[in-house]
Amino acid sequence: MFWALPTSFLGGLGAAAGIALINSAANLAGFVSPTVIGWLKGQTGTLSSGLYLVAGSLTVSAFLVWAFIPARMVNR
């Protein structure tokens, strides 16, 4: 869903930059998250804490999209 958002209200170079920003953030998260989840497992002794972190991150990002992207811009 996140890749469709920049192209829905940006055009041309702006849409390409938005998609590149999303890809960069996803690549960084893919690199860092195994380390963070492993560190949390070491601190707490369970994988649940890492999964709660992932679920919380998804919830926060969904809230940010809901709060800052007007529906009229996406539902054209």
Side-chain angles (χ1 to χ4, degrees):
M1 185 64 200
F2 291 117
W3 283 274
L5 286 175
T7 57
S8 66
F9 58 89
L10 296 174
L13 191 59
I19 291 171
L21 179 67
I22 290 170
N23 278 331
S24 297
N27 285 334
L28 183 62
F31 179 74
V32 173
S33 64
T35 304
V36 172
I37 289 176
W39 179 80
L40 284 171
K41 183 181 186 293
Q43 296 296 316
T44 63
T46 180
L47 282 173
S48 297
S49 57
L51 295 177
Y52 288 138
L53 177 68
V54 171
S57 298
L58 289 171
T59 303
V60 167
S61 60
F63 174 77
L64 289 173
V65 168
W66 176 76
F68 292 110
I69 305 296
R72 63 179 165 73
M73 293 182 82
V74 178
N75 296 329
R76 300 193 269 171

